[in-house]
Amino acid sequence: MERKKRKILRKILGWFVLLCLVAAVGSILFFSVRWVLLLIQTPSVLQEDETKYISPPSDEEILFRGTDGSIHLFHTGTKQDLRLTEGADYAPSWDTEGEGFYFLRKIDADTFTVYYYSLSDQIEKLLSTQEIYTAYDLPDPDNTWIRFSPNGNKIILSSMELGLQMIDRKKTGADSFLKRKSVTLSKVWSELGIVSRNDRFCLLSVHRKKNTSYIQGLTSKIPLVNQLYMVRTDFSKTDLIDQSDTPFHGYSFSLNGYTFAYSKNQQIFYVDSIQSIQPGIIASGTFPTIKPTQRYANKAPRWADFNLINAAVIQRLPAPFDEYWLFANGQSLATYRADKQLLSLYKDRTKSHTTVLGYQLVDCFLEDINQDNKPDLLCSWQSHEKALGAERLSQFSITRQGILKEIFRSEKKLRNSWKWEDLNQDGSQEVLNLYVDWEGEEDSMLENLTWIDVYQVKADRWVLSNQIFPSFYNQQAEKYRTFLTNAIKNPSLYGKLITTLEDWIMESEEIAKQ
C-alpha cells in the first residue's frame, strides 16, 4: 500500500515538474517573441529632437528638371545653378551614396531610356540599349511624378490618374501594362524622399485637377485647390505650406537637416527651417530632390497603406467625427483615426471587395443631407478626361466607428449627374438623378436632355418617388416633345434617338396622369 502511495506521489511530482518546465519555456518564448515584436515596432531611426537643428546645412545640393528640359544642380550655399545634361531629361533621382543620379532621357516622341550621371567624372552613361520605355509605360512625364529608388532598381510613378505604381527594372517585359504594378505608399515610403530623417514629418500634396461637377445644388463641396502640407506622421498636426491653381510638381524632404524643397508654377522653392517656414524661390524648374549625405531606414506609418501622394482630399471630419480624417485619392476612399492609428479603407460590397471605386475623383461633398447633425459623404468619379458624365455617383454615411457605408449608388449610365432641388416646396430637397441609358456616345446629340428619376433621401436608403411629382413630369414631357419635333425633321441625324425620346414622353405622360 505504501509503495503504491509513493508511486502516485512520484507521478504527481513528475507532472508538477513537467508543468513547471512547460510554463518556464512558454514564458521564455512569450517574452522572446514580445521582445522581437518591440524591436520591429521600434523605429529604426534615432528619434532626434528636430528643434536642436534649427540652422540649415551650410550647403545642400538640389537636383531638378529645368524649364529647358535638362537636369540642373543648385547649391544652396553658393546659389550656383549648374546645367548637367543637354537632352530632354526627366526624373533626376539620387543614388544611394549621393555620388550621382539616375534619370530618364526622351529619345523620340514616345520613347525613353535610362541614364546614370556620375558627379565625380561629370559623365552621363546609357545603362542599357535594350531597356526602352514608351509613353504607355511613363504617361505624361511632364506632370507625373517619377522617381528612381536609390539603388536604381525601381521606377516609381505617381499621378491622380495612375495612383501609385512601380516598375521593377529587373523584370520589365514586352507588354507595357505588365511593367507597371500598383503599390501602396508604405512599400516605397523610404524611397520617395518625402519624410524627415527622424520619421516625425512628411510632405503630402492635395491635387485637384478638374472644375467639372456632377453633383449640383449642395453647398459644402471640398474646395478645388492644389495644396502642399507638412504633416506630422502621427497626424497630430498638419501645416499648410502653400497652395496653387495648378498642381505641385514634386517635393523633397532633406535627410541632412530639417529643410525641404518643392516645385510650384515651374519655380523651385526652398525652406531652410521647419520652425519658421518661409519658402523662397531658388530656381526655375520642376521635381526637385535634395542630395542625402546619409540614408535612414524610415518606418512607414499605418496610414501609408493608403496613397496620399497626389491625394484628392486630406481633411479632418466635422463633429461628431472630428477625431477622424477623411482621405481620398483619384480612385479610393478611407478614414483614419489618428489617436488609435486606425486606417479604414472603403471596399465595395462585391465579390472582389475592390478599393478602386473609379478612374478619377471629381466631386467630394461633406453635407448633412438627412438633417441629423451628422455629415454624409457624396462623391462622383469620371471614366476619362472627356467623359459626358459621371461613371459613378455614391452617397456614404459614416458609422459611429468612423467607417464609410455606401447608402446609394448610380453607375454605368451615360451623362449621369445628381441635382438637389426642392420640387414641392416643402422645405426638403429631392435628388434628381439625370442619365441616359447606355446606348453609345451618339446619345450626346440629345444635348442637355436626359431622363430624370426623382428620389427622396431617408436615413438609410433612397426612395424612388417619381409618382409623387406628376407636375414635374408633365413639364419634362413638354421638353421632350419640343426636342422631338425638331429631331423628326432630321431622321438621318438622330436615328434611334427618336425612339428614346418617344419612350421618355410616354413614361412621363403616364406619371403625369397619376
Side-chain angles (χ1 to χ4, degrees):
M1 192 70 178
E2 289 295 326
R3 187 180 297 173
K4 185 179 289 187
K5 285 183 179 180
R6 285 197 297 270
K7 189 175 183 181
I8 292 172
L9 285 172
R10 282 197 299 271
K11 282 186 177 181
I12 293 173
L13 183 62
W15 281 109
F16 178 77
V17 172
L18 181 61
L19 286 172
C20 289
L21 287 172
V22 170
V25 172
S27 297
I28 292 170
L29 286 173
F30 173 80
F31 286 107
S32 297
V33 170
R34 186 182 178 187
W35 180 73
V36 170
L37 289 175
L38 285 173
L39 280 179
I40 293 172
Q41 292 172 0
T42 301
S44 55
V45 183
L46 177 64
Q47 292 290 307
E48 65 186 13
D49 182 358
E50 69 281 350
T51 61
K52 295 180 179 179
Y53 295 83
I54 296 175
S55 299
S58 58
D59 183 38
E60 292 200 282
E61 298 174 62
I62 304 175
L63 287 172
F64 63 93
R65 184 174 191 259
T67 53
D68 57 5
S70 59
I71 307 302
H72 289 238
L73 180 66
F74 183 85
H75 289 265
T76 61
T78 62
K79 313 299 181 186
Q80 187 178 20
D81 184 344
L82 301 174
R83 182 177 178 177
L84 301 181
T85 69
E86 301 291 336
D89 300 325
Y90 298 84
S93 307
W94 290 104
D95 66 9
T96 303
E97 304 300 329
E99 296 176 350
F101 60 91
Y102 302 93
F103 66 96
L104 292 163
R105 171 159 293 168
K106 195 173 188 179
I107 56 176
D108 58 35
D110 62 352
T111 306
F112 300 84
T113 54
V114 178
Y115 277 75
Y116 177 80
Y117 186 96
S118 170
L119 287 176
S120 59
D121 299 330
Q122 296 185 350
I123 293 175
E124 61 182 41
K125 178 183 178 182
L126 174 64
L127 295 186
S128 173
T129 58
Q130 303 300 314
E131 187 179 1
I132 300 293
Y133 297 96
T134 69
Y136 291 102
D137 305 314
L138 308 169
D140 193 15
D142 290 298
N143 297 298
T144 299
W145 188 0
I146 305 172
R147 181 160 289 179
F148 288 83
S149 61
N151 62 12
N153 291 336
K154 305 171 188 174
I155 302 175
I156 303 161
L157 305 91
S158 178
S159 71
M160 281 290 288
E161 294 79 9
L162 292 174
L164 191 61
Q165 297 191 327
M166 184 184 74
I167 295 174
D168 188 336
R169 291 183 56 217
K170 294 182 177 180
K171 298 180 180 179
T172 52
D175 190 331
S176 298
F177 295 103
L178 293 178
K179 292 181 182 180
R180 296 201 311 260
K181 177 184 178 182
S182 294
V183 293
T184 61
L185 178 56
S186 58
K187 295 292 185 183
V188 293
W189 178 255
S190 295
E191 298 170 332
L192 287 172
I194 63 170
V195 60
S196 66
R197 68 190 195 182
N198 70 351
D199 266 339
R200 287 181 182 163
F201 306 93
C202 68
L203 298 171
L204 297 173
S205 59
V206 173
H207 180 175
R208 300 306 303 269
K209 193 169 184 179
K210 290 181 68 69
N211 289 322
T212 303
S213 185
Y214 300 124
I215 300 177
Q216 305 289 335
L218 298 177
T219 59
S220 57
K221 185 172 184 178
I222 295 174
L224 297 170
V225 180
N226 298 284
Q227 298 170 320
L228 179 68
Y229 289 93
M230 186 179 76
V231 179
R232 282 189 174 267
T233 51
D234 62 3
F235 256 88
S236 60
K237 186 181 179 184
T238 60
D239 291 310
L240 178 62
I241 303 302
D242 208 339
Q243 59 185 31
S244 173
D245 293 331
T246 59
F248 291 90
H249 287 88
Y251 36 89
S252 174
F253 215 119
S254 174
L255 295 178
N256 313 313
Y258 291 89
T259 63
F260 61 87
Y262 65 92
S263 173
K264 168 188 169 182
N265 297 329
Q266 302 286 310
Q267 301 288 332
I268 304 296
F269 289 77
Y270 180 65
V271 174
D272 63 9
S273 171
I274 64 172
Q275 273 74 41
S276 177
I277 297 175
Q278 298 178 348
I281 298 174
I282 58 172
S284 296
T286 56
F287 301 107
T289 176
I290 301 175
K291 177 182 176 179
T293 55
Q294 183 177 348
R295 293 283 181 182
Y296 294 83
N298 301 107
K299 180 178 173 59
R302 297 283 179 84
W303 55 261
D305 284 337
F306 188 88
N307 176 24
L308 285 182
I309 302 294
N310 287 321
V313 175
I314 302 174
Q315 180 159 322
R316 189 184 289 276
L317 287 172
F321 304 107
D322 44 4
E323 67 269 35
Y324 290 92
W325 288 82
L326 173 66
F327 295 160
N329 54 39
Q331 299 78 35
S332 305
L333 298 170
T335 56
Y336 181 68
R337 182 161 180 169
D339 60 341
K340 295 186 177 181
Q341 298 184 49
L342 182 62
L343 179 70
S344 299
L345 293 164
Y346 177 78
K347 298 180 181 180
D348 264 341
R349 290 175 293 179
T350 59
K351 289 182 179 179
S352 63
H353 297 291
T354 181
T355 59
V356 178
L357 310 182
Y359 169 69
Q360 184 179 356
L361 183 72
V362 176
D363 290 293
C364 195
F365 287 81
L366 281 169
E367 186 112 5
D368 182 8
I369 62 174
N370 296 314
Q371 303 301 309
D372 58 0
N373 296 317
K374 294 179 181 178
D376 297 278
L377 177 64
L378 299 110
C379 297
S380 74
W381 290 265
Q382 67 176 12
S383 57
H384 55 85
E385 287 293 329
K386 297 182 180 180
L388 298 172
E391 66 168 323
R392 172 176 176 166
L393 297 116
S394 293
Q395 182 234 328
F396 303 89
S397 66
I398 305 171
T399 69
R400 283 185 295 178
Q401 295 75 31
I403 296 172
L404 298 175
K405 178 183 177 182
E406 189 174 46
I407 301 298
F408 185 80
R409 182 196 309 181
S410 180
E411 65 178 344
K412 298 178 181 178
K413 298 179 175 66
L414 190 66
R415 295 172 54 225
N416 199 183
S417 64
W418 286 347
K419 184 178 182 182
W420 259 254
E421 190 173 329
D422 187 358
L423 292 181
N424 54 6
Q425 306 302 309
D426 65 350
S428 296
Q429 289 190 314
E430 285 72 41
V431 187
L432 310 184
N433 188 26
L434 293 74
Y435 65 92
V436 177
D437 283 327
W438 191 267
E439 295 180 1
E441 291 293 325
E442 69 270 12
D443 285 336
S444 62
M445 294 168 58
L446 289 171
E447 298 172 8
N448 293 322
L449 218 55
T450 64
W451 175 254
I452 301 176
D453 282 328
V454 180
Y455 287 88
Q456 292 183 319
V457 180
K458 306 299 181 183
D460 59 351
R461 69 192 188 281
W462 287 27
V463 180
L464 184 62
S465 306
N466 294 355
Q467 278 71 23
I468 302 177
F469 302 96
S471 60
F472 173 78
Y473 282 95
N474 191 40
Q475 296 172 12
Q476 286 301 113
E478 185 58 36
K479 291 180 182 178
Y480 298 147
R481 279 192 290 266
T482 301
F483 196 97
L484 179 61
T485 301
N486 295 320
I488 289 175
K489 297 176 183 178
N490 297 283
S492 61
L493 181 62
Y494 288 97
K496 63 181 179 181
L497 300 183
I498 293 174
T499 303
T500 299
L501 287 165
E502 290 173 341
D503 291 342
W504 289 354
I505 292 169
M506 185 182 302
E507 190 168 352
S508 297
E509 289 176 341
E510 285 294 323
I511 297 172
K513 288 176 184 178
Q514 300 175 24

